[in-house]
Amino acid sequence: MDHFEYRNGRLWCEGVPAEDLAARFGTPLYVYSRATLEGHYDRLAAAFADLRPLICYSIKSCSNVHVCRVLVERGAGLDAVSGGEVERARRAGCPMERVVYAGVGKTDAEIEDALCGMGSASLPAHGQAARARLAHATRIGLFNIESEPEFENIARLARERGVRCRGALRINPDVDPKTHAYTSTGRKESKFGVGIARAVRFFERYGRDEWLTLDALHLHIGSPVYETGPYVEAIRKTLGLIDDLAGRGFTVRTLDLGGGFGADYETERSPRAADYAAAIVPLLRERVAGGLSIILEPGRQISANAGVLLTKVLYVKDGGGGKRFIIGDAGMHTLIRPALYGSFHFIWPASPAGGASGGVPARRTGVPDLPGLSPCDVVGPICESADFLAKDRMLPPVSRGDVLAVFAAGAYGMSMASTYNTQPLPAEVMVEGDAARVIRRRQALDELLAPEA
Ligand code: LLP
């Protein structure tokens, strides 16, 4: 499902050897495959075609403007969760009506910007009509709203600025997405959205607002969600709510199903786009025929397997008892998922010993069926014991200077990277066929320190 594959014992990223990329651009390095990004987007679009959804790629999963632009050019909209991400959407060339803006803590400045366009807060007062014209060209398609005070605040700002906008109420359907507690959002104890009964009261109170039109619902139950059942349950409950609201005179025109579709951290770990669609599409086909429009907000299913992280081995330390510490230049500051969620990422040398004759497992798994492996912790340079990319992983022999590939690192890798321990942020490269270009240059130490000058 992706374009990172071993040929004759070497890892290739589309038409470029991974080791060449590491030599040319340095490490740690995030490498994305354009063909993989496009392939994943196309598969989702094809699987859900019957619903004619607007697929709003979740910027937070892999935020680089160039990654967003590839998808926007393919027809995607974007899911933003901050003023910064709304600005990324603009820079990616996304028409603002294809942007949905979620998040529990939007500030006034962020809301005004989303209503009126970047920098408009600082424009001289030039009359309501001119402002409204400007806003029409630049305002985002849908605010996803999480609470009563947030609704009141957005409605107030819209009224004060003379700009009409649309809102979706985020529903908390109280279903168990069976995922990590930190990324589970659809249970009633989470900070996200409002329950079904409260949603009815919400519409009765705000559903006829003149400035913020409330005619949509938003769901996002968690991520990654490796089963289709929780989606089915959440959608059924929400359709019941839509019918209840219709009986009270409120028409829901758009249903945003959120994201959370899984990715293959291990080979065939996740249901495919077609599997999710097989469960979801039949529930919604008739509703769509009746005029309901659908939004999806996939992040990782598009971006996770479209990226690898390349790291260079600095030292191999004997840990005693047959265990090795492989110390590389990437760690929790580069990819925090293993430290934060205990996430699994398949790791393998870009050119393993054994060369063309073998040395590469047939599947990406934690327990490869190959001779000559021994247990390793793959760790980074950070001064914390949480600084690991893998624990007790069976790996072949490696030496100082070898390049390791950390797979399925495209989602929540670079977008969650930090400068902890004053480590500059890595570079990002996009591969397109046999060409590679830098889409974010490596942060210079001077840039990191500049705000403190
Ligand atoms: N929509 C909303 C409202 C979200 O909160 C998220 C993710 C998505 C869409 C996209 O979810 P995806 O399709 O990428 O699973 N840092 C964690 C994931 C946090 C997800 C936050 N929200 C990780 O590394 O697994």
Side-chain angles (χ1 to χ4, degrees):
M1 299 292 272
D2 62 56
H3 294 263
F4 298 98
E5 55 180 14
Y6 285 87
R7 285 177 230 144
N8 297 322
R10 292 179 90 194
L11 177 63
W12 288 72
C13 310
E14 297 194 19
V16 189
E19 280 187 322
D20 291 5
L21 293 168
R24 198 166 141 204
F25 301 110
T27 53
L29 182 71
Y30 276 100
V31 179
Y32 307 115
S33 150
R34 180 179 183 134
T36 308
L37 285 167
E38 292 177 339
H40 288 171
Y41 174 82
D42 289 353
R43 261 190 286 272
L44 272 164
F48 283 92
D50 279 4
L51 301 183
R52 299 187 303 280
L54 175 62
I55 299 179
C56 291
Y57 166 68
S58 194
I59 299 174
K60 70 176 87 62
S61 72
C62 182
S63 324
N64 190 292
V65 170
H66 300 266
V67 169
C68 295
R69 189 175 294 133
V70 163
L71 297 163
V72 167
E73 284 172 1
R74 213 81 182 161
L78 295 171
D79 154 39
V81 289
S82 68
E85 288 193 351
V86 171
E87 180 57 16
R88 282 185 184 277
R90 285 194 189 97
R91 293 186 185 197
C94 189
M96 285 294 110
E97 66 271 15
R98 290 196 338 226
V99 177
V100 294
Y101 180 14
V104 289
K106 305 175 186 79
T107 67
D108 287 11
E110 288 177 313
I111 295 165
E112 293 196 340
D113 173 43
L115 282 170
C116 302
M118 195 60 175
S120 64
S122 58
L123 289 175
H126 49 19
Q128 205 154 297
R131 254 189 217 177
R133 267 201 308 281
L134 174 69
H136 188 68
T138 56
R139 99 192 112 179
I140 57 119
L142 201 59
F143 283 96
N144 287 343
I145 295 165
E146 302 262 2
S147 68
E148 292 82 356
E150 187 195 352
F151 185 97
E152 289 179 14
N153 196 38
I154 297 175
R156 174 184 65 83
L157 290 165
R159 188 180 64 245
E160 284 173 11
R161 295 210 141 248
V163 175
R164 289 198 164 74
C165 58
R166 275 185 84 206
L169 176 61
R170 178 157 176 183
I171 301 302
N172 187 325
D174 193 25
V175 300
D176 183 358
K178 299 183 189 136
T179 190
H180 195 282
Y182 292 178
T183 57
S184 171
T185 50
R187 306 296 303 273
K188 67 173 180 297
E189 58 270 24
S190 98
K191 72 176 176 181
F192 299 99
V194 304
I196 301 264
R198 189 162 151 193
V200 173
R201 294 197 295 277
F202 201 110
F203 269 77
E204 280 176 339
R205 189 155 166 205
Y206 301 114
R208 298 194 169 83
D209 191 274
E210 190 188 342
W211 295 96
L212 174 46
T213 304
L214 185 62
D215 63 357
L217 295 177
H218 178 220
L219 283 172
H220 173 76
I221 54 177
S223 79
V225 183
Y226 284 117
E227 293 171 27
T228 54
Y231 285 102
V232 171
E233 194 186 340
I235 291 169
R236 285 221 172 99
K237 286 187 176 180
T238 307
L239 291 176
L241 172 62
I242 289 176
D243 292 339
D244 185 356
L245 289 171
R248 295 164 195 265
F250 300 104
T251 306
V252 171
R253 296 179 204 285
T254 301
L255 174 58
D256 178 344
L257 300 177
F261 297 157
D264 279 339
Y265 292 98
E266 294 182 79
T267 300
E268 286 166 15
R269 165 76 177 90
S270 172
R272 308 263 161 249
D275 301 323
Y276 289 104
I280 293 171
V281 170
L283 301 174
L284 295 170
R285 202 180 267 121
E286 268 179 39
R287 305 281 180 151
V288 168
L292 184 70
S293 69
I294 300 294
I295 296 175
L296 301 173
E297 299 175 348
R300 86 181 69 223
Q301 190 162 89
I302 293 175
S303 57
N305 289 82
V308 298
L309 167 63
L310 301 181
T311 173
K312 195 171 282 177
V313 176
L314 298 173
Y315 304 103
V316 181
K317 177 177 172 178
D318 184 352
K323 176 162 161 170
R324 289 174 291 159
F325 287 103
I326 299 180
I327 303 163
D329 56 9
M332 66 187 294
H333 59 305
T334 333
L335 177 68
I336 201 173
R337 303 189 72 255
L340 193 55
Y341 316 112
S343 308
F344 174 87
H345 286 266
F346 178 67
I347 301 177
W348 206 254
S351 293
S357 60
V360 181
R363 300 166 64 82
R364 296 176 192 165
T365 158
V367 279
D369 185 18
L370 286 175
L373 309 183
S374 67
C376 303
D377 283 3
V378 181
V379 302
I382 300 296
C383 299
E384 282 211 32
S385 296
D387 181 31
F388 60 88
L389 298 179
K391 285 222 175 215
D392 294 318
R393 188 67 62 77
M394 299 302 283
L395 286 174
V398 295
S399 315
R400 176 175 165 82
D402 284 358
V403 174
L404 301 181
V406 183
F407 288 78
Y412 308 105
M414 183 63 179
S415 63
M416 294 179 82
S418 77
T419 59
Y420 187 36
N421 281 203
T422 311
Q423 293 275 0
L425 292 169
E428 295 177 287
V429 163
M430 178 87 77
V431 175
E432 303 174 6
D434 54 11
R437 67 189 164 104
V438 175
I439 56 170
R440 180 190 169 107
R441 59 186 160 72
R442 187 173 303 284
Q443 187 178 37
L445 189 54
D446 272 350
E447 287 174 296
L448 192 164
L449 293 171
E452 298 167 45

